[in-house]
Amino acid sequence: MSPIGTESSSAPTATRRRPLLAAVIVGVVLVLIAVLLVIADNVARSVVRDAIASELGTALPIERGSDVAVEIGGSSMLAQIAVGRLERIEVTADAVDFGKISGAADAVLTGVPLDRSQPADSVTIDFSVPEDQLVNLADNLSGIPLDTISIDGDEILLETDVRVFGIPIPISVGIAPGAADGQLTFDPNSLSVGQATVTADRMRRMLGPVAGAVLETRSFCIAEFLPEAFTLESADIRRNELVVRLAADTVILSDEALEQVGACPA
């Protein structure tokens, strides 16, 4: 028979253990729920990411076999799905065609609804054309045959020989890219004859009628390759590439909307 003192002291100990055990179990359950939510969130993010990549591959002029990477930012994927809107999507494609030229594209989309009949808040695309692609724009850069086309600082550098009275004169023209009315513009910015830098007026006097083909601003329209809702915002030289920025606000990303392309000036 157990002593009375021993029996009375064990009962409170067992009583204290039961709440402690319950707290441990609750903690374990909460951890498991958190882990399952993280797994579910990651799975949902992966599924949505793959669906977007597949959709873009058919909706935009992305070359077959091009790598398309999609990242979905913002808060929990499950929370974004619950409200029916994705906060931020970043897309990179390494080969996109716009008529004569091809390059990489980096896009940022914000406020993208899961209901594609509703508009996204904004879409911005930076289309980067490498130096070796500029030869495809030769007819749009100058009205005379060109020997070389390269990038020099913040200009596109055109080099060729122009004959004056049968004598070949080496010239180089620095072209500043820009954007206007859905067109890329190419404006002569600097002129050199041999090692000397000359003004446009002096070049006109030297070259006569040929000067017009060398010095006039020329353009390349890309509106007809873009969904109508997009505008051509800017074009400049960055990291030795021609970077063209396209943008759209409150744009609907349905197939029908993306198939409606813009028009070039007559």
Side-chain angles (χ1 to χ4, degrees):
M1 185 175 183
S2 300
I4 295 175
T6 303
E7 185 175 334
S8 61
S9 63
S10 62
T13 302
T15 303
R16 287 194 298 269
R17 285 175 180 169
R18 280 194 290 272
L20 179 61
L21 181 60
V24 171
I25 292 174
V26 170
V28 170
V29 170
L30 290 176
V31 169
L32 288 175
I33 291 174
V35 170
L36 290 174
L37 285 175
V38 169
I39 293 173
D41 195 82
N42 288 337
V43 169
R45 193 176 296 270
S46 177
V47 169
V48 173
R49 185 171 57 234
D50 291 346
I52 292 172
S54 176
E55 191 73 26
L56 289 172
T58 58
L60 296 179
I62 297 174
E63 291 183 11
R64 181 173 296 180
S66 171
D67 290 330
V68 180
V70 177
E71 292 297 331
I72 302 175
S75 59
S76 160
M77 188 73 250
L78 296 178
Q80 294 184 67
I81 292 174
V83 299
R85 206 167 191 85
L86 304 181
E87 296 174 20
R88 181 183 176 91
I89 303 173
E90 297 181 4
V91 181
T92 300
D94 62 4
V96 179
D97 286 325
F98 283 105
K100 299 178 181 181
I101 50 179
S102 178
D106 297 292
V108 176
L109 302 84
T110 62
V112 181
L114 298 182
D115 179 357
R116 296 181 62 197
S117 67
Q118 300 300 311
D121 290 344
S122 68
V123 180
T124 302
I125 302 174
D126 281 344
F127 177 54
S128 302
V129 183
E131 185 179 56
D132 61 6
Q133 279 286 312
L134 296 179
V135 65
N136 297 322
L137 292 174
D139 293 341
N140 303 91
L141 295 172
S142 177
I144 61 175
L146 301 173
D147 293 334
T148 62
I149 302 172
S150 60
I151 291 177
D152 183 23
D154 58 358
E155 295 181 332
I156 300 172
L157 186 64
L158 314 179
E159 296 179 288
T160 190
D161 287 342
V162 174
R163 289 188 172 272
V164 178
F165 303 117
I167 301 172
I169 299 176
I171 67 169
S172 59
V173 182
I175 300 292
D181 301 324
Q183 300 186 84
L184 293 176
T185 58
F186 303 105
D187 187 25
N189 192 45
S190 63
L191 309 167
S192 298
V193 178
Q195 300 299 315
T197 300
V198 299
T199 65
D201 286 342
R202 185 179 176 189
M203 181 71 82
R204 290 187 179 96
R205 288 196 299 269
M206 292 174 58
L207 302 183
V210 179
V214 175
L215 299 177
E216 67 179 352
T217 297
R218 303 177 73 84
S219 63
F220 171 60
C221 182
I222 66 171
E224 62 185 346
F225 304 109
L226 297 176
E228 190 175 28
F230 283 80
T231 58
L232 173 59
E233 277 200 346
S234 64
D236 53 23
I237 303 297
R238 301 182 215 163
R239 301 181 302 275
N240 217 42
E241 293 180 321
L242 171 63
V243 180
V244 179
R245 169 156 289 192
L246 314 168
D249 293 325
T250 58
V251 57
I252 294 176
L253 301 175
S254 66
D255 291 339
E256 294 78 11
L258 293 175
E259 287 171 359
Q260 295 177 15
V261 297
C264 293

